[in-house]
């Protein structure tokens, strides 16, 4: 399986069967991600070097406006897309096989988890997975310890409160908090 085939498979939200070529490819590529994140997290790097390593991990063109405070964890890396002026704080964990897209001017708080895979609920097929992308609009702030679940879209200008578990789409300029996250107010422009 190639990276392009895998991306098309997950973009189509194809059911991923445990032990299949797609599943084995995911495990192979997780080793690549582990090697990059070990380097990123294992010692101090100047900001320019940290950016270089991160963009090599995600397979995208270097962007000098990006900021990262390690440690950072991902189990694929190659399905993360970032806008300009994105900052990812320490301890974040991105499960990006299903695709993570983050818009311009976003702030991702400490220890945020973004998940893009769900396992089958049937115990006999529990190793199988459903991919679903997470899309984060422009100028979004995600508070510390928030969890964003597969298939969620967060609208431009929204705020996700610290510790929230986001299970449904968040409208533009909404502030959500709680478990599960609910709209607590709307930001007036």
């Amino acid at each position: 399986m190639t990276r392009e085939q895998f991306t098309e498979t997950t973009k189509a939200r194809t059911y991923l069967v445990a032990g299949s070529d797609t599943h084995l490819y995911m495990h192979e590529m997780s080793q690549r991600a582990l090697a990059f994140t070990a380097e990123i997290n294992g010692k101090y790097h100047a900001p320019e070097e940290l950016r270089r390593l991160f963009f090599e991990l995600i397979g995208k063109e270097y962007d000098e406006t990006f900021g990262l405070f390690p440690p950072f964890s991902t189990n694929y890396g190659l399905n993360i897309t970032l806008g300009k002026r994105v900052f990812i704080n320490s301890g974040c964990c991105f499960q990006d096989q299903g695709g993570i897209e983050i818009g311009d001017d976003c702030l991702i708080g400490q220890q945020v988890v973004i998940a893009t895979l769900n396992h089958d609920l049937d115990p006999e097929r529990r190793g199988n997975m459903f991919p679903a992308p997470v899309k984060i609009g422009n100028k979004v702030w995600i508070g510390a310890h928030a969890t964003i679940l597969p298939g969620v879209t967060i609208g431009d200008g929204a705020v996700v409160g610290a510790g929230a578990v986001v299970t449904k789409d968040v409208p533009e300029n909404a502030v959500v908090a709680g478990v599960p996250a609910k709209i607590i107010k709307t930001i007036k422009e």
Side-chain angles (χ1 to χ4, degrees), residues 50-137:
L50 194 55
R51 280 192 287 273
R52 186 194 64 74
L53 286 165
F54 187 86
F55 281 95
E56 194 172 343
L57 164 66
I58 69 170
K60 304 286 189 313
E61 191 173 320
Y62 180 89
D63 175 17
E64 65 184 21
T65 69
F66 172 73
L68 172 69
F69 284 176
F72 174 80
S73 175
T74 185
N75 48 6
Y76 183 59
L78 295 168
N79 215 355
I80 298 170
T81 303
L82 302 175
K84 299 289 187 187
R85 298 168 302 282
V86 170
F87 175 71
I88 299 173
N89 213 327
S90 62
C92 290
C93 181
F94 289 9
Q95 180 199 50
D96 68 296
Q97 288 94 331
I100 296 172
E101 184 179 319
I102 300 173
D104 295 338
D105 303 301
C106 289
L107 302 172
I108 312 297
Q110 293 176 328
Q111 298 183 349
V112 166
V113 172
I114 302 176
T116 64
L117 294 174
N118 269 325
H119 285 276
D120 198 311
L121 290 177
D122 181 343
E124 299 302 316
R125 298 185 304 217
R126 189 66 45 85
N128 301 344
M129 294 164 275
F130 301 93
V134 168
K135 295 184 181 178
I136 299 170

